Amino acid sequence: MKTIGKLAQSLNLNVETIRFYEREGLITQPTKPISGYRQYDETIAGQLRFITKAKMLGFTLKEIKSLMSMDNDCAQIELLSRQKLAIIREKISDLQRLEKVIVDMTNTCIQNDDPTYCPIIDSLK
């Protein structure tokens, strides 16, 4: 059992982040004893680790909340993961197109001999 400050420190999180997750309903805030501080158990620490790892994989808090409520329903979790993967692949494709455009624009500078003219700026007009 840990106070929110100790829990945050042990998980490398900000106290306000934990409070935000409580307000958003991702974790349950422990009841406050008559005297003293709320005590957070290992279950909550595990939920916070889950949230942190899922965020690192690109899941939104809404998606994470869904994952946490699926009670190990592998079919549902797989569906959500496949949907996320499709979004990630679409973003990768968009970034690759953007990369090609910028490479092409940059290459026009290499071929430009006029120091008063910038093909990149011209293409953005």
Side-chain angles (χ1 to χ4, degrees):
M1 300 289 268
K2 296 179 181 177
T3 63
I4 193 169
K6 297 279 186 197
L7 178 65
Q9 184 178 20
S10 72
L11 297 173
N12 200 27
L13 292 172
N14 188 299
V15 168
E16 288 306 313
T17 301
I18 295 173
R19 289 190 176 129
F20 176 75
Y21 294 158
E22 289 172 342
R23 287 191 302 274
E24 293 297 308
L26 289 159
I27 61 171
T28 304
Q29 184 181 61
T31 56
K32 185 175 180 181
I34 294 171
S35 62
Y37 300 100
R38 288 183 175 87
Q39 295 293 312
Y40 292 77
D41 62 20
E42 184 54 36
T43 300
I44 293 174
Q47 291 169 336
L48 290 167
R49 281 190 290 276
F50 180 93
I51 293 166
T52 301
K53 289 177 183 177
K55 281 184 63 183
M56 288 174 58
L57 290 172
F59 287 97
T60 65
L61 291 182
K62 182 179 177 183
E63 292 166 335
I64 293 168
K65 195 172 186 178
S66 291
L67 284 170
M68 294 174 79
S69 70
M70 290 182 184
D71 294 326
N72 291 327
D73 181 341
C74 198
Q76 269 193 312
I77 294 168
E78 179 187 357
L79 178 62
L80 181 62
S81 295
R82 288 189 183 281
Q83 290 169 345
K84 190 64 175 179
L85 184 58
I87 292 167
I88 290 168
R89 286 180 173 155
E90 186 177 322
K91 286 180 182 181
I92 288 169
S93 179
D94 290 344
L95 287 171
Q96 287 171 332
R97 279 192 294 277
L98 182 60
E99 177 188 34
K100 183 183 179 329
V101 169
I102 292 177
V103 165
D104 291 346
M105 287 172 52
T106 304
N107 286 338
T108 62
C109 285
I110 294 169
Q111 301 162 1
N112 178 35
D113 294 330
D114 183 355
T116 63
Y117 170 75
C118 178
I120 293 175
I121 295 298
D122 191 52
S123 71
L124 295 173
K125 290 181 181 177

Short mmCIF file of all heavy atoms in Angstrom, two decimals, residues 13-80:
data_model
loop_
_atom_site.label_atom_id
_atom_site.label_comp_id
_atom_site.label_asym_id
_atom_site.label_seq_id
_atom_site.Cartn_x
_atom_site.Cartn_y
_atom_site.Cartn_z
N LEU A 13 5.28 8.52 -12.70
CA LEU A 13 4.12 9.29 -13.15
C LEU A 13 3.98 10.54 -12.30
O LEU A 13 4.54 10.63 -11.21
CB LEU A 13 2.83 8.46 -13.01
CG LEU A 13 2.67 7.26 -13.92
CD1 LEU A 13 1.43 6.45 -13.51
CD2 LEU A 13 2.57 7.68 -15.36
N ASN A 14 3.20 11.47 -12.78
CA ASN A 14 2.89 12.66 -12.02
C ASN A 14 1.64 12.38 -11.18
O ASN A 14 0.73 11.68 -11.63
CB ASN A 14 2.63 13.81 -13.01
CG ASN A 14 2.49 15.15 -12.35
OD1 ASN A 14 1.58 15.34 -11.55
ND2 ASN A 14 3.37 16.05 -12.69
N VAL A 15 1.59 12.93 -9.99
CA VAL A 15 0.41 12.77 -9.12
C VAL A 15 -0.84 13.24 -9.84
O VAL A 15 -1.90 12.58 -9.78
CB VAL A 15 0.61 13.53 -7.79
CG1 VAL A 15 -0.69 13.61 -7.01
CG2 VAL A 15 1.70 12.87 -6.95
N GLU A 16 -0.74 14.35 -10.56
CA GLU A 16 -1.91 14.88 -11.28
C GLU A 16 -2.37 13.92 -12.38
O GLU A 16 -3.55 13.89 -12.71
CB GLU A 16 -1.61 16.27 -11.84
CG GLU A 16 -1.55 17.34 -10.77
CD GLU A 16 -2.80 17.38 -9.88
OE1 GLU A 16 -3.93 17.35 -10.41
OE2 GLU A 16 -2.65 17.44 -8.65
N THR A 17 -1.45 13.18 -12.96
CA THR A 17 -1.82 12.19 -13.98
C THR A 17 -2.69 11.12 -13.34
O THR A 17 -3.72 10.72 -13.91
CB THR A 17 -0.56 11.56 -14.60
OG1 THR A 17 0.22 12.59 -15.19
CG2 THR A 17 -0.91 10.51 -15.63
N ILE A 18 -2.30 10.65 -12.18
CA ILE A 18 -3.09 9.63 -11.47
C ILE A 18 -4.47 10.20 -11.12
O ILE A 18 -5.50 9.53 -11.33
CB ILE A 18 -2.36 9.13 -10.21
CG1 ILE A 18 -1.06 8.40 -10.63
CG2 ILE A 18 -3.26 8.21 -9.38
CD1 ILE A 18 -0.17 8.01 -9.48
N ARG A 19 -4.51 11.41 -10.64
CA ARG A 19 -5.81 12.04 -10.31
C ARG A 19 -6.68 12.18 -11.55
O ARG A 19 -7.90 11.99 -11.51
CB ARG A 19 -5.58 13.38 -9.63
CG ARG A 19 -5.03 13.23 -8.23
CD ARG A 19 -5.04 14.55 -7.48
NE ARG A 19 -4.58 14.32 -6.11
CZ ARG A 19 -3.63 15.01 -5.53
NH1 ARG A 19 -3.05 16.02 -6.16
NH2 ARG A 19 -3.28 14.75 -4.29
N PHE A 20 -6.04 12.54 -12.68
CA PHE A 20 -6.77 12.65 -13.94
C PHE A 20 -7.39 11.30 -14.32
O PHE A 20 -8.56 11.22 -14.70
CB PHE A 20 -5.84 13.15 -15.05
CG PHE A 20 -6.49 13.21 -16.40
CD1 PHE A 20 -7.40 14.22 -16.71
CD2 PHE A 20 -6.22 12.25 -17.36
CE1 PHE A 20 -8.01 14.27 -17.95
CE2 PHE A 20 -6.82 12.30 -18.60
CZ PHE A 20 -7.73 13.31 -18.90
N TYR A 21 -6.61 10.23 -14.21
CA TYR A 21 -7.13 8.89 -14.51
C TYR A 21 -8.29 8.53 -13.59
O TYR A 21 -9.23 7.85 -14.00
CB TYR A 21 -6.03 7.83 -14.42
CG TYR A 21 -4.94 7.96 -15.46
CD1 TYR A 21 -3.69 7.41 -15.24
CD2 TYR A 21 -5.14 8.63 -16.67
CE1 TYR A 21 -2.68 7.52 -16.19
CE2 TYR A 21 -4.14 8.75 -17.62
CZ TYR A 21 -2.90 8.19 -17.37
OH TYR A 21 -1.91 8.29 -18.30
N GLU A 22 -8.21 8.98 -12.35
CA GLU A 22 -9.34 8.75 -11.42
C GLU A 22 -10.57 9.49 -11.91
O GLU A 22 -11.66 8.91 -11.96
CB GLU A 22 -8.96 9.23 -10.01
CG GLU A 22 -7.94 8.37 -9.31
CD GLU A 22 -7.43 8.96 -8.00
OE1 GLU A 22 -7.59 10.19 -7.77
OE2 GLU A 22 -6.85 8.20 -7.22
N ARG A 23 -10.41 10.76 -12.27
CA ARG A 23 -11.56 11.55 -12.74
C ARG A 23 -12.16 10.98 -14.02
O ARG A 23 -13.37 11.04 -14.22
CB ARG A 23 -11.15 13.02 -12.98
CG ARG A 23 -10.92 13.81 -11.72
CD ARG A 23 -10.77 15.29 -11.99
NE ARG A 23 -9.70 15.64 -12.91
CZ ARG A 23 -8.43 15.83 -12.59
NH1 ARG A 23 -8.06 15.71 -11.32
NH2 ARG A 23 -7.53 16.15 -13.50
N GLU A 24 -11.31 10.41 -14.87
CA GLU A 24 -11.77 9.84 -16.14
C GLU A 24 -12.36 8.44 -15.98
O GLU A 24 -12.85 7.86 -16.93
CB GLU A 24 -10.63 9.81 -17.15
CG GLU A 24 -10.15 11.18 -17.60
CD GLU A 24 -11.24 11.96 -18.33
OE1 GLU A 24 -11.82 11.41 -19.28
OE2 GLU A 24 -11.50 13.11 -17.94
N GLY A 25 -12.26 7.89 -14.78
CA GLY A 25 -12.84 6.57 -14.51
C GLY A 25 -11.97 5.40 -14.96
O GLY A 25 -12.45 4.28 -15.04
N LEU A 26 -10.69 5.65 -15.23
CA LEU A 26 -9.79 4.57 -15.61
C LEU A 26 -9.36 3.75 -14.40
O LEU A 26 -9.12 2.55 -14.51
CB LEU A 26 -8.56 5.13 -16.34
CG LEU A 26 -8.85 5.67 -17.74
CD1 LEU A 26 -7.79 6.64 -18.19
CD2 LEU A 26 -8.95 4.52 -18.72
N ILE A 27 -9.21 4.41 -13.30
CA ILE A 27 -8.89 3.72 -12.03
C ILE A 27 -9.84 4.24 -10.96
O ILE A 27 -10.39 5.33 -11.09
CB ILE A 27 -7.41 3.92 -11.59
CG1 ILE A 27 -7.11 5.39 -11.36
CG2 ILE A 27 -6.46 3.30 -12.58
CD1 ILE A 27 -5.76 5.66 -10.71
N THR A 28 -10.01 3.46 -9.92
CA THR A 28 -10.88 3.85 -8.81
C THR A 28 -10.06 4.50 -7.72
O THR A 28 -9.01 3.98 -7.32
CB THR A 28 -11.59 2.60 -8.23
OG1 THR A 28 -12.29 1.97 -9.30
CG2 THR A 28 -12.56 2.98 -7.14
N GLN A 29 -10.55 5.61 -7.24
CA GLN A 29 -9.87 6.30 -6.14
C GLN A 29 -10.19 5.56 -4.84
O GLN A 29 -11.35 5.33 -4.53
CB GLN A 29 -10.35 7.74 -6.05
CG GLN A 29 -9.63 8.55 -5.00
CD GLN A 29 -10.16 9.97 -4.93
OE1 GLN A 29 -11.34 10.17 -4.64
NE2 GLN A 29 -9.30 10.92 -5.21
N PRO A 30 -9.16 5.18 -4.09
CA PRO A 30 -9.43 4.51 -2.80
C PRO A 30 -10.16 5.46 -1.85
O PRO A 30 -10.02 6.68 -1.94
CB PRO A 30 -8.03 4.19 -2.26
CG PRO A 30 -7.10 4.38 -3.39
CD PRO A 30 -7.74 5.34 -4.35
N THR A 31 -10.93 4.87 -0.96
CA THR A 31 -11.61 5.71 0.03
C THR A 31 -10.58 6.29 0.99
O THR A 31 -9.55 5.66 1.30
CB THR A 31 -12.65 4.89 0.82
OG1 THR A 31 -12.00 3.77 1.41
CG2 THR A 31 -13.77 4.43 -0.08
N LYS A 32 -10.88 7.49 1.45
CA LYS A 32 -9.96 8.17 2.36
C LYS A 32 -10.33 7.77 3.79
O LYS A 32 -11.48 7.88 4.20
CB LYS A 32 -10.06 9.68 2.18
CG LYS A 32 -9.05 10.43 3.01
CD LYS A 32 -9.09 11.90 2.71
CE LYS A 32 -8.06 12.60 3.57
NZ LYS A 32 -8.03 14.03 3.35
N PRO A 33 -9.34 7.31 4.54
CA PRO A 33 -9.63 6.98 5.95
C PRO A 33 -9.94 8.25 6.74
O PRO A 33 -9.63 9.36 6.30
CB PRO A 33 -8.33 6.32 6.43
CG PRO A 33 -7.28 6.72 5.47
CD PRO A 33 -7.95 7.09 4.19
N ILE A 34 -10.54 8.08 7.88
CA ILE A 34 -10.89 9.22 8.72
C ILE A 34 -9.66 10.09 9.00
O ILE A 34 -9.71 11.30 8.93
CB ILE A 34 -11.56 8.76 10.04
CG1 ILE A 34 -12.90 8.10 9.71
CG2 ILE A 34 -11.75 9.92 11.01
CD1 ILE A 34 -13.56 7.41 10.87
N SER A 35 -8.57 9.45 9.31
CA SER A 35 -7.33 10.20 9.51
C SER A 35 -6.25 9.57 8.63
O SER A 35 -6.13 8.37 8.53
CB SER A 35 -6.90 10.18 10.98
OG SER A 35 -6.63 8.86 11.38
N GLY A 36 -5.52 10.40 7.94
CA GLY A 36 -4.44 9.88 7.11
C GLY A 36 -4.70 10.07 5.63
O GLY A 36 -5.56 10.86 5.23
N TYR A 37 -3.97 9.34 4.84
CA TYR A 37 -4.00 9.48 3.39
C TYR A 37 -4.59 8.24 2.74
O TYR A 37 -4.53 7.14 3.29
CB TYR A 37 -2.57 9.69 2.85
CG TYR A 37 -1.90 10.92 3.40
CD1 TYR A 37 -0.98 10.83 4.44
CD2 TYR A 37 -2.19 12.17 2.88
CE1 TYR A 37 -0.36 11.96 4.94
CE2 TYR A 37 -1.58 13.31 3.37
CZ TYR A 37 -0.66 13.20 4.41
OH TYR A 37 -0.06 14.32 4.90
N ARG A 38 -5.13 8.43 1.54
CA ARG A 38 -5.59 7.29 0.76
C ARG A 38 -4.42 6.36 0.51
O ARG A 38 -3.31 6.79 0.26
CB ARG A 38 -6.17 7.75 -0.57
CG ARG A 38 -7.50 8.44 -0.44
CD ARG A 38 -8.04 8.82 -1.83
NE ARG A 38 -9.37 9.37 -1.71
CZ ARG A 38 -9.65 10.65 -1.48
NH1 ARG A 38 -8.67 11.53 -1.38
NH2 ARG A 38 -10.89 11.05 -1.36
N GLN A 39 -4.70 5.07 0.51
CA GLN A 39 -3.66 4.08 0.25
C GLN A 39 -3.99 3.33 -1.05
O GLN A 39 -5.10 2.82 -1.21
CB GLN A 39 -3.57 3.08 1.42
CG GLN A 39 -3.10 3.72 2.72
CD GLN A 39 -1.66 4.20 2.65
OE1 GLN A 39 -0.77 3.47 2.20
NE2 GLN A 39 -1.43 5.43 3.09
N TYR A 40 -3.02 3.31 -1.94
CA TYR A 40 -3.18 2.68 -3.25
C TYR A 40 -2.52 1.30 -3.21
O TYR A 40 -1.36 1.18 -2.84
CB TYR A 40 -2.56 3.54 -4.34
CG TYR A 40 -3.31 4.84 -4.55
CD1 TYR A 40 -3.18 5.91 -3.65
CD2 TYR A 40 -4.17 4.99 -5.62
CE1 TYR A 40 -3.88 7.09 -3.83
CE2 TYR A 40 -4.88 6.17 -5.81
CZ TYR A 40 -4.73 7.22 -4.91
OH TYR A 40 -5.42 8.38 -5.09
N ASP A 41 -3.28 0.27 -3.61
CA ASP A 41 -2.75 -1.08 -3.56
C ASP A 41 -2.13 -1.50 -4.90
O ASP A 41 -2.13 -0.75 -5.87
CB ASP A 41 -3.82 -2.08 -3.11
CG ASP A 41 -5.00 -2.16 -4.06
OD1 ASP A 41 -4.87 -1.77 -5.24
OD2 ASP A 41 -6.06 -2.64 -3.63
N GLU A 42 -1.63 -2.71 -4.94
CA GLU A 42 -0.94 -3.23 -6.13
C GLU A 42 -1.88 -3.36 -7.33
O GLU A 42 -1.45 -3.25 -8.47
CB GLU A 42 -0.27 -4.57 -5.81
CG GLU A 42 0.54 -5.15 -6.94
CD GLU A 42 1.61 -4.21 -7.50
OE1 GLU A 42 2.23 -3.44 -6.74
OE2 GLU A 42 1.82 -4.23 -8.74
N THR A 43 -3.17 -3.56 -7.08
CA THR A 43 -4.13 -3.65 -8.18
C THR A 43 -4.14 -2.34 -8.96
O THR A 43 -4.09 -2.34 -10.20
CB THR A 43 -5.54 -3.97 -7.65
OG1 THR A 43 -5.50 -5.22 -6.97
CG2 THR A 43 -6.55 -4.03 -8.78
N ILE A 44 -4.19 -1.24 -8.25
CA ILE A 44 -4.20 0.08 -8.90
C ILE A 44 -2.86 0.33 -9.58
O ILE A 44 -2.81 0.84 -10.70
CB ILE A 44 -4.57 1.19 -7.91
CG1 ILE A 44 -6.03 1.01 -7.46
CG2 ILE A 44 -4.35 2.57 -8.52
CD1 ILE A 44 -6.49 1.93 -6.37
N ALA A 45 -1.78 -0.06 -8.94
CA ALA A 45 -0.45 0.09 -9.56
C ALA A 45 -0.40 -0.69 -10.87
O ALA A 45 0.12 -0.20 -11.88
CB ALA A 45 0.64 -0.38 -8.60
N GLY A 46 -0.96 -1.88 -10.88
CA GLY A 46 -1.00 -2.69 -12.09
C GLY A 46 -1.84 -2.04 -13.19
O GLY A 46 -1.47 -2.06 -14.37
N GLN A 47 -2.95 -1.45 -12.79
CA GLN A 47 -3.80 -0.74 -13.76
C GLN A 47 -3.04 0.45 -14.36
O GLN A 47 -3.13 0.71 -15.57
CB GLN A 47 -5.09 -0.28 -13.11
CG GLN A 47 -6.02 -1.40 -12.73
CD GLN A 47 -7.17 -0.95 -11.85
OE1 GLN A 47 -7.10 0.07 -11.16
NE2 GLN A 47 -8.26 -1.71 -11.88
N LEU A 48 -2.30 1.16 -13.53
CA LEU A 48 -1.53 2.30 -14.01
C LEU A 48 -0.41 1.85 -14.96
O LEU A 48 -0.14 2.52 -15.97
CB LEU A 48 -0.97 3.11 -12.85
CG LEU A 48 -2.02 3.88 -12.05
CD1 LEU A 48 -1.44 4.40 -10.74
CD2 LEU A 48 -2.59 5.03 -12.87
N ARG A 49 0.22 0.73 -14.66
CA ARG A 49 1.24 0.19 -15.57
C ARG A 49 0.60 -0.18 -16.91
O ARG A 49 1.16 0.08 -17.98
CB ARG A 49 1.95 -1.01 -14.95
CG ARG A 49 3.02 -0.64 -13.94
CD ARG A 49 3.86 -1.83 -13.52
NE ARG A 49 3.13 -2.79 -12.71
CZ ARG A 49 2.95 -2.70 -11.39
NH1 ARG A 49 3.50 -1.70 -10.72
NH2 ARG A 49 2.28 -3.61 -10.73
N PHE A 50 -0.57 -0.79 -16.86
CA PHE A 50 -1.31 -1.15 -18.06
C PHE A 50 -1.61 0.09 -18.91
O PHE A 50 -1.38 0.11 -20.12
CB PHE A 50 -2.61 -1.86 -17.67
CG PHE A 50 -3.47 -2.29 -18.83
CD1 PHE A 50 -3.35 -3.57 -19.35
CD2 PHE A 50 -4.39 -1.43 -19.40
CE1 PHE A 50 -4.15 -3.98 -20.42
CE2 PHE A 50 -5.18 -1.83 -20.47
CZ PHE A 50 -5.05 -3.10 -20.98
N ILE A 51 -2.12 1.13 -18.26
CA ILE A 51 -2.45 2.38 -18.96
C ILE A 51 -1.20 2.97 -19.61
O ILE A 51 -1.23 3.36 -20.79
CB ILE A 51 -3.09 3.40 -17.98
CG1 ILE A 51 -4.46 2.89 -17.51
CG2 ILE A 51 -3.21 4.78 -18.63
CD1 ILE A 51 -5.02 3.63 -16.31
N THR A 52 -0.11 3.00 -18.87
CA THR A 52 1.14 3.57 -19.39
C THR A 52 1.63 2.79 -20.61
O THR A 52 2.01 3.39 -21.63
CB THR A 52 2.21 3.58 -18.28
OG1 THR A 52 1.73 4.35 -17.17
CG2 THR A 52 3.51 4.18 -18.77
N LYS A 53 1.62 1.47 -20.52
CA LYS A 53 2.08 0.65 -21.66
C LYS A 53 1.16 0.81 -22.86
O LYS A 53 1.62 0.89 -24.00
CB LYS A 53 2.18 -0.82 -21.24
CG LYS A 53 3.33 -1.10 -20.30
CD LYS A 53 3.34 -2.56 -19.87
CE LYS A 53 4.44 -2.83 -18.87
NZ LYS A 53 4.43 -4.23 -18.39
N ALA A 54 -0.14 0.84 -22.63
CA ALA A 54 -1.10 0.99 -23.73
C ALA A 54 -0.94 2.35 -24.40
O ALA A 54 -1.02 2.45 -25.63
CB ALA A 54 -2.53 0.80 -23.21
N LYS A 55 -0.69 3.38 -23.62
CA LYS A 55 -0.45 4.71 -24.19
C LYS A 55 0.80 4.70 -25.06
O LYS A 55 0.84 5.33 -26.12
CB LYS A 55 -0.33 5.77 -23.09
CG LYS A 55 -1.66 6.22 -22.52
CD LYS A 55 -1.48 7.32 -21.50
CE LYS A 55 -0.88 8.53 -22.16
NZ LYS A 55 -0.60 9.63 -21.24
N MET A 56 1.83 3.99 -24.61
CA MET A 56 3.07 3.91 -25.38
C MET A 56 2.83 3.21 -26.72
O MET A 56 3.54 3.48 -27.69
CB MET A 56 4.16 3.19 -24.58
CG MET A 56 4.69 4.02 -23.43
SD MET A 56 5.84 3.14 -22.35
CE MET A 56 7.10 2.65 -23.50
N LEU A 57 1.84 2.34 -26.79
CA LEU A 57 1.50 1.66 -28.03
C LEU A 57 0.56 2.50 -28.91
O LEU A 57 0.19 2.07 -29.99
CB LEU A 57 0.85 0.31 -27.73
CG LEU A 57 1.78 -0.74 -27.16
CD1 LEU A 57 0.99 -1.97 -26.72
CD2 LEU A 57 2.85 -1.13 -28.17
N GLY A 58 0.19 3.67 -28.42
CA GLY A 58 -0.63 4.58 -29.22
C GLY A 58 -2.12 4.51 -28.96
O GLY A 58 -2.90 5.16 -29.65
N PHE A 59 -2.55 3.74 -27.98
CA PHE A 59 -3.97 3.69 -27.67
C PHE A 59 -4.39 4.97 -26.97
O PHE A 59 -3.65 5.52 -26.15
CB PHE A 59 -4.29 2.48 -26.77
CG PHE A 59 -4.24 1.16 -27.48
CD1 PHE A 59 -3.11 0.36 -27.42
CD2 PHE A 59 -5.33 0.72 -28.23
CE1 PHE A 59 -3.05 -0.86 -28.08
CE2 PHE A 59 -5.28 -0.50 -28.90
CZ PHE A 59 -4.14 -1.29 -28.83
N THR A 60 -5.57 5.47 -27.30
CA THR A 60 -6.12 6.64 -26.64
C THR A 60 -6.68 6.22 -25.28
O THR A 60 -6.90 5.02 -25.04
CB THR A 60 -7.26 7.26 -27.47
OG1 THR A 60 -8.35 6.32 -27.53
CG2 THR A 60 -6.80 7.64 -28.87
N LEU A 61 -6.96 7.18 -24.43
CA LEU A 61 -7.53 6.85 -23.11
C LEU A 61 -8.90 6.20 -23.27
O LEU A 61 -9.25 5.28 -22.52
CB LEU A 61 -7.62 8.09 -22.23
CG LEU A 61 -6.28 8.65 -21.75
CD1 LEU A 61 -6.50 9.86 -20.84
CD2 LEU A 61 -5.44 7.59 -21.05
N LYS A 62 -9.66 6.63 -24.26
CA LYS A 62 -10.97 6.01 -24.51
C LYS A 62 -10.79 4.54 -24.89
O LYS A 62 -11.51 3.66 -24.41
CB LYS A 62 -11.69 6.77 -25.62
CG LYS A 62 -13.08 6.26 -25.92
CD LYS A 62 -13.74 7.08 -27.02
CE LYS A 62 -15.10 6.51 -27.36
NZ LYS A 62 -15.73 7.24 -28.45
N GLU A 63 -9.81 4.27 -25.76
CA GLU A 63 -9.53 2.88 -26.17
C GLU A 63 -9.02 2.06 -24.99
O GLU A 63 -9.39 0.89 -24.82
CB GLU A 63 -8.52 2.86 -27.31
CG GLU A 63 -9.06 3.42 -28.61
CD GLU A 63 -7.98 3.71 -29.64
OE1 GLU A 63 -6.81 3.94 -29.27
OE2 GLU A 63 -8.33 3.73 -30.84
N ILE A 64 -8.19 2.68 -24.17
CA ILE A 64 -7.64 1.98 -22.99
C ILE A 64 -8.77 1.62 -22.03
O ILE A 64 -8.82 0.52 -21.50
CB ILE A 64 -6.56 2.83 -22.31
CG1 ILE A 64 -5.33 2.96 -23.23
CG2 ILE A 64 -6.17 2.24 -20.96
CD1 ILE A 64 -4.32 4.01 -22.79
N LYS A 65 -9.69 2.55 -21.85
CA LYS A 65 -10.83 2.28 -20.97
C LYS A 65 -11.64 1.10 -21.51
O LYS A 65 -12.07 0.23 -20.75
CB LYS A 65 -11.71 3.53 -20.87
CG LYS A 65 -12.70 3.50 -19.74
CD LYS A 65 -13.38 4.84 -19.58
CE LYS A 65 -14.26 4.87 -18.37
NZ LYS A 65 -14.88 6.18 -18.17
N SER A 66 -11.80 1.04 -22.83
CA SER A 66 -12.50 -0.10 -23.45
C SER A 66 -11.74 -1.39 -23.21
O SER A 66 -12.33 -2.41 -22.85
CB SER A 66 -12.66 0.13 -24.95
OG SER A 66 -13.57 1.15 -25.22
N LEU A 67 -10.43 -1.35 -23.43
CA LEU A 67 -9.61 -2.55 -23.21
C LEU A 67 -9.73 -3.04 -21.78
O LEU A 67 -9.87 -4.24 -21.53
CB LEU A 67 -8.13 -2.25 -23.51
CG LEU A 67 -7.72 -2.16 -24.97
CD1 LEU A 67 -6.31 -1.62 -25.09
CD2 LEU A 67 -7.84 -3.52 -25.65
N MET A 68 -9.71 -2.11 -20.84
CA MET A 68 -9.78 -2.49 -19.42
C MET A 68 -11.14 -3.07 -19.04
O MET A 68 -11.25 -3.82 -18.08
CB MET A 68 -9.44 -1.28 -18.54
CG MET A 68 -7.99 -0.83 -18.69
SD MET A 68 -7.62 0.69 -17.79
CE MET A 68 -7.44 0.03 -16.13
N SER A 69 -12.17 -2.72 -19.80
CA SER A 69 -13.51 -3.22 -19.47
C SER A 69 -13.86 -4.51 -20.18
O SER A 69 -14.93 -5.06 -19.97
CB SER A 69 -14.55 -2.15 -19.82
OG SER A 69 -14.66 -2.02 -21.22
N MET A 70 -12.98 -5.02 -21.04
CA MET A 70 -13.30 -6.19 -21.85
C MET A 70 -13.07 -7.51 -21.13
O MET A 70 -13.35 -8.57 -21.68
CB MET A 70 -12.50 -6.16 -23.16
CG MET A 70 -12.97 -5.08 -24.08
SD MET A 70 -12.06 -5.11 -25.63
CE MET A 70 -12.73 -3.68 -26.42
N ASP A 71 -12.58 -7.47 -19.92
CA ASP A 71 -12.43 -8.68 -19.10
C ASP A 71 -11.80 -9.84 -19.86
O ASP A 71 -12.33 -10.96 -19.89
CB ASP A 71 -13.79 -9.13 -18.53
CG ASP A 71 -14.33 -8.13 -17.53
OD1 ASP A 71 -13.53 -7.51 -16.82
OD2 ASP A 71 -15.57 -7.98 -17.49
N ASN A 72 -10.69 -9.59 -20.50
CA ASN A 72 -9.93 -10.63 -21.22
C ASN A 72 -10.74 -11.30 -22.32
O ASN A 72 -10.49 -12.47 -22.65
CB ASN A 72 -9.37 -11.68 -20.25
CG ASN A 72 -8.28 -11.10 -19.39
OD1 ASN A 72 -7.53 -10.23 -19.81
ND2 ASN A 72 -8.19 -11.58 -18.16
N ASP A 73 -11.72 -10.61 -22.89
CA ASP A 73 -12.47 -11.12 -24.04
C ASP A 73 -11.56 -10.97 -25.26
O ASP A 73 -11.51 -9.94 -25.91
CB ASP A 73 -13.77 -10.33 -24.22
CG ASP A 73 -14.60 -10.84 -25.39
OD1 ASP A 73 -14.05 -11.54 -26.27
OD2 ASP A 73 -15.80 -10.53 -25.41
N CYS A 74 -10.83 -12.04 -25.54
CA CYS A 74 -9.76 -11.99 -26.54
C CYS A 74 -10.29 -11.59 -27.92
O CYS A 74 -9.63 -10.85 -28.64
CB CYS A 74 -9.05 -13.34 -26.61
SG CYS A 74 -7.44 -13.22 -27.40
N ALA A 75 -11.47 -12.01 -28.29
CA ALA A 75 -12.02 -11.68 -29.61
C ALA A 75 -12.25 -10.18 -29.73
O ALA A 75 -11.91 -9.56 -30.74
CB ALA A 75 -13.30 -12.45 -29.85
N GLN A 76 -12.82 -9.59 -28.68
CA GLN A 76 -13.06 -8.14 -28.68
C GLN A 76 -11.75 -7.36 -28.67
O GLN A 76 -11.61 -6.37 -29.36
CB GLN A 76 -13.89 -7.74 -27.45
CG GLN A 76 -15.36 -7.75 -27.65
CD GLN A 76 -16.05 -7.06 -26.48
OE1 GLN A 76 -15.76 -7.33 -25.32
NE2 GLN A 76 -16.95 -6.15 -26.79
N ILE A 77 -10.81 -7.82 -27.87
CA ILE A 77 -9.52 -7.16 -27.76
C ILE A 77 -8.78 -7.25 -29.10
O ILE A 77 -8.17 -6.27 -29.55
CB ILE A 77 -8.70 -7.76 -26.60
CG1 ILE A 77 -9.39 -7.45 -25.27
CG2 ILE A 77 -7.27 -7.23 -26.61
CD1 ILE A 77 -8.87 -8.22 -24.08
N GLU A 78 -8.85 -8.40 -29.74
CA GLU A 78 -8.21 -8.56 -31.05
C GLU A 78 -8.83 -7.61 -32.06
O GLU A 78 -8.11 -6.98 -32.86
CB GLU A 78 -8.34 -10.00 -31.54
CG GLU A 78 -7.71 -10.21 -32.91
CD GLU A 78 -7.97 -11.58 -33.49
OE1 GLU A 78 -8.60 -12.42 -32.82
OE2 GLU A 78 -7.53 -11.81 -34.63
N LEU A 79 -10.15 -7.47 -32.05
CA LEU A 79 -10.83 -6.57 -32.97
C LEU A 79 -10.36 -5.13 -32.76
O LEU A 79 -10.02 -4.43 -33.73
CB LEU A 79 -12.35 -6.67 -32.80
CG LEU A 79 -13.19 -5.74 -33.67
CD1 LEU A 79 -12.98 -6.05 -35.15
CD2 LEU A 79 -14.66 -5.87 -33.31
N LEU A 80 -10.33 -4.69 -31.53
CA LEU A 80 -9.87 -3.33 -31.22
C LEU A 80 -8.41 -3.15 -31.65
O LEU A 80 -8.05 -2.13 -32.23
CB LEU A 80 -10.03 -3.02 -29.73
CG LEU A 80 -9.61 -1.62 -29.29
CD1 LEU A 80 -10.44 -0.56 -29.97
CD2 LEU A 80 -9.72 -1.49 -27.78
#
